Coordinates of all heavy atoms in Angstrom, one line a residue:
G1 N -43.3 125.5 134.1 CA -43.4 124.9 132.8 C -43.8 125.9 131.7 O -44.2 127.0 132.0
T2 N -43.6 125.4 130.5 CA -44.0 126.3 129.3 C -43.2 127.6 129.3 O -43.7 128.7 129.1 CB -45.5 126.5 129.2 OG1 -46.2 125.3 129.5 CG2 -45.9 126.9 127.8
V3 N -41.9 127.5 129.7 CA -41.1 128.7 129.7 C -40.4 128.8 128.3 O -39.4 128.2 128.1 CB -40.0 128.5 130.8 CG1 -39.1 129.8 130.8 CG2 -40.7 128.3 132.2
I4 N -41.0 129.5 127.4 CA -40.6 129.5 126.0 C -39.6 130.6 125.7 O -39.0 130.6 124.6 CB -41.8 129.7 125.1 CG1 -42.6 131.0 125.4 CG2 -42.8 128.5 125.2 CD1 -43.7 131.3 124.4
N5 N -39.4 131.6 126.6 CA -38.4 132.6 126.4 C -37.8 133.1 127.7 O -38.2 132.8 128.8 CB -39.1 133.8 125.6 CG -40.3 134.3 126.3 OD1 -40.3 134.6 127.5 ND2 -41.4 134.5 125.5
V6 N -36.8 134.0 127.5 CA -36.1 134.5 128.7 C -36.9 135.4 129.5 O -36.8 135.4 130.8 CB -34.8 135.3 128.2 CG1 -34.2 136.1 129.4 CG2 -33.8 134.4 127.5
K7 N -37.9 136.1 129.0 CA -38.8 137.0 129.8 C -39.5 136.1 130.8 O -39.6 136.5 132.0 CB -39.7 137.7 128.9 CG -40.7 138.6 129.7 CD -41.7 139.3 128.7 CE -42.7 140.1 129.5 NZ -43.7 140.8 128.7
I8 N -40.1 135.0 130.4 CA -40.8 134.2 131.3 C -39.9 133.5 132.3 O -40.2 133.4 133.5 CB -41.6 133.1 130.5 CG1 -42.7 133.7 129.6 CG2 -42.3 132.1 131.5 CD1 -43.4 132.7 128.7
A9 N -38.7 133.1 131.8 CA -37.7 132.6 132.7 C -37.3 133.5 133.8 O -37.2 133.1 135.0 CB -36.4 132.2 131.9
E10 N -37.2 134.8 133.5 CA -36.9 135.8 134.5 C -38.0 135.9 135.5 O -37.8 135.9 136.7 CB -36.7 137.1 133.8 CG -36.4 138.3 134.8 CD -36.2 139.6 134.0 OE1 -36.3 139.7 132.8 OE2 -35.8 140.6 134.7
E11 N -39.2 135.9 135.0 CA -40.4 136.0 135.9 C -40.5 134.9 136.9 O -40.8 135.0 138.1 CB -41.7 136.2 135.1 CG -41.8 137.5 134.3 CD -43.0 137.5 133.4 OE1 -43.6 136.4 133.1 OE2 -43.3 138.6 133.0
V12 N -40.4 133.6 136.4 CA -40.6 132.5 137.2 C -39.5 132.3 138.2 O -39.7 131.8 139.3 CB -40.8 131.2 136.4 CG1 -42.1 131.3 135.5 CG2 -39.6 130.8 135.5
I13 N -38.3 132.6 137.8 CA -37.1 132.5 138.8 C -37.3 133.5 139.9 O -37.1 133.2 141.1 CB -35.8 132.8 138.0 CG1 -35.5 131.6 137.1 CG2 -34.7 133.0 139.1 CD1 -34.3 131.7 136.2
K14 N -37.8 134.7 139.6 CA -38.1 135.7 140.7 C -39.2 135.2 141.6 O -39.3 135.5 142.8 CB -38.5 137.0 140.0 CG -37.3 137.8 139.5 CD -37.8 139.1 138.9 CE -36.6 139.9 138.3 NZ -37.0 141.2 137.7
A15 N -40.1 134.4 141.0 CA -41.3 133.9 141.8 C -40.9 132.7 142.6 O -41.6 132.2 143.5 CB -42.4 133.5 140.8
G16 N -39.7 132.2 142.4 CA -39.2 131.1 143.2 C -39.1 129.7 142.6 O -38.9 128.7 143.3
A17 N -39.3 129.6 141.3 CA -39.3 128.3 140.6 C -37.9 127.6 140.8 O -36.9 128.3 140.6 CB -39.5 128.5 139.1
Q18 N -37.9 126.4 141.2 CA -36.7 125.7 141.5 C -36.1 125.0 140.3 O -34.9 124.6 140.2 CB -36.9 124.6 142.6 CG -37.2 125.2 143.9 CD -37.7 124.2 144.9 OE1 -38.8 123.7 144.8 NE2 -36.8 123.8 145.9
F19 N -36.9 124.9 139.2 CA -36.4 124.4 138.0 C -37.3 124.9 136.9 O -38.5 125.4 137.1 CB -36.4 122.8 137.9 CG -37.7 122.2 138.1 CD1 -38.5 121.8 137.0 CD2 -38.2 121.9 139.4 CE1 -39.7 121.2 137.1 CE2 -39.4 121.2 139.5 CZ -40.2 120.9 138.4
I20 N -36.9 124.9 135.6 CA -37.6 125.4 134.5 C -37.8 124.3 133.5 O -36.9 123.5 133.3 CB -36.9 126.6 133.9 CG1 -37.1 127.8 134.7 CG2 -37.3 126.8 132.4 CD1 -36.2 129.0 134.2
V21 N -39.0 124.2 132.9 CA -39.2 123.3 131.8 C -39.7 124.0 130.6 O -40.5 124.9 130.6 CB -40.3 122.3 132.2 CG1 -40.5 121.2 131.2 CG2 -40.0 121.6 133.6
T22 N -39.1 123.6 129.4 CA -39.5 124.3 128.2 C -40.1 123.3 127.2 O -39.7 122.1 127.2 CB -38.2 125.0 127.5 OG1 -37.5 124.0 126.8 CG2 -37.4 125.7 128.5
P23 N -40.9 123.8 126.3 CA -41.4 122.9 125.2 C -40.6 123.0 124.0 O -40.7 122.2 123.1 CB -42.8 123.4 125.0 CG -42.7 124.9 125.2 CD -41.7 125.0 126.3
N24 N -39.6 124.0 124.0 CA -38.8 124.3 122.8 C -37.3 124.3 123.2 O -37.0 124.2 124.4 CB -39.2 125.6 122.3 CG -39.1 126.8 123.3 OD1 -39.3 126.5 124.5 ND2 -38.7 127.9 122.8
T25 N -36.5 124.3 122.2 CA -35.0 124.3 122.4 C -34.5 125.8 122.3 O -34.4 126.3 121.2 CB -34.3 123.4 121.4 OG1 -34.9 122.1 121.4 CG2 -32.9 123.3 121.7
N26 N -34.3 126.4 123.4 CA -33.9 127.8 123.5 C -32.7 128.0 124.3 O -32.7 127.9 125.5 CB -35.1 128.7 124.0 CG -34.8 130.2 123.9 OD1 -33.7 130.6 124.0 ND2 -35.9 130.9 123.7
A27 N -31.6 128.1 123.6 CA -30.3 128.2 124.3 C -30.2 129.4 125.3 O -29.5 129.4 126.3 CB -29.1 128.3 123.3
D28 N -30.9 130.5 124.9 CA -30.9 131.7 125.8 C -31.5 131.4 127.1 O -31.1 132.0 128.1 CB -31.5 132.9 125.1 CG -30.7 133.4 123.9 OD1 -29.5 133.2 123.9 OD2 -31.3 134.0 123.0
V29 N -32.6 130.6 127.1 CA -33.3 130.3 128.4 C -32.3 129.5 129.2 O -32.3 129.7 130.5 CB -34.6 129.5 128.1 CG1 -35.1 128.9 129.4 CG2 -35.6 130.5 127.4
I30 N -31.6 128.5 128.6 CA -30.7 127.7 129.4 C -29.6 128.6 130.0 O -29.3 128.5 131.2 CB -30.0 126.6 128.5 CG1 -31.1 125.7 127.9 CG2 -29.1 125.8 129.3 CD1 -30.5 124.8 126.8
K31 N -29.0 129.4 129.2 CA -28.0 130.3 129.7 C -28.5 131.2 130.8 O -27.8 131.4 131.9 CB -27.5 131.2 128.5 CG -26.3 132.1 128.9 CD -25.9 132.9 127.7 CE -24.7 133.8 128.0 NZ -24.3 134.6 126.8
Y32 N -29.6 131.8 130.7 CA -30.2 132.7 131.7 C -30.4 131.9 133.0 O -30.1 132.4 134.1 CB -31.5 133.4 131.2 CG -32.0 134.3 132.2 CD1 -31.6 135.7 132.2 CD2 -33.0 133.9 133.2 CE1 -32.1 136.6 133.2 CE2 -33.5 134.8 134.1 CZ -33.0 136.1 134.1 OH -33.5 137.0 135.0
A33 N -31.1 130.8 132.9 CA -31.4 130.0 134.1 C -30.2 129.6 134.9 O -30.1 129.7 136.1 CB -32.3 128.8 133.8
H34 N -29.2 129.1 134.1 CA -27.9 128.7 134.7 C -27.2 129.8 135.4 O -26.4 129.6 136.4 CB -27.0 128.0 133.7 CG -27.5 126.6 133.3 ND1 -26.9 125.8 132.4 CD2 -28.6 125.9 133.7 CE1 -27.5 124.7 132.3 NE2 -28.6 124.7 133.1
K35 N -27.4 131.0 135.0 CA -26.8 132.2 135.6 C -27.3 132.3 137.1 O -26.5 132.8 138.0 CB -27.1 133.4 134.9 CG -26.4 134.7 135.4 CD -26.5 135.9 134.4 CE -27.9 136.4 134.3 NZ -28.0 137.6 133.5
Y36 N -28.5 131.8 137.3 CA -29.1 131.8 138.7 C -29.1 130.4 139.3 O -29.8 130.2 140.3 CB -30.5 132.4 138.6 CG -30.5 133.9 138.2 CD1 -30.6 134.2 136.8 CD2 -30.3 134.9 139.1 CE1 -30.6 135.6 136.4 CE2 -30.2 136.2 138.7 CZ -30.4 136.5 137.4 OH -30.3 137.9 137.0
D37 N -28.3 129.5 138.7 CA -28.2 128.2 139.3 C -29.5 127.4 139.3 O -29.8 126.6 140.2 CB -27.6 128.2 140.7 CG -26.9 126.9 141.1 OD1 -26.3 126.3 140.2 OD2 -26.9 126.6 142.3
V38 N -30.3 127.7 138.3 CA -31.6 127.0 138.1 C -31.5 126.0 137.0 O -31.1 126.4 135.8 CB -32.7 128.0 137.9 CG1 -34.0 127.3 137.6 CG2 -32.9 128.9 139.1
P39 N -31.8 124.7 137.2 CA -31.8 123.7 136.1 C -32.9 123.9 135.1 O -34.0 124.4 135.4 CB -31.9 122.4 136.8 CG -32.6 122.7 138.1 CD -32.2 124.1 138.5

């Protein structure tokens, strides 16, 4: 949770997060996570 940017998204996906939750609307985070099949 509290994945506010792509840098954090990258870190949590590498750590094994099965899904990402954001407090903000960031299209880049969505695009990055979907590249790795993470909702």
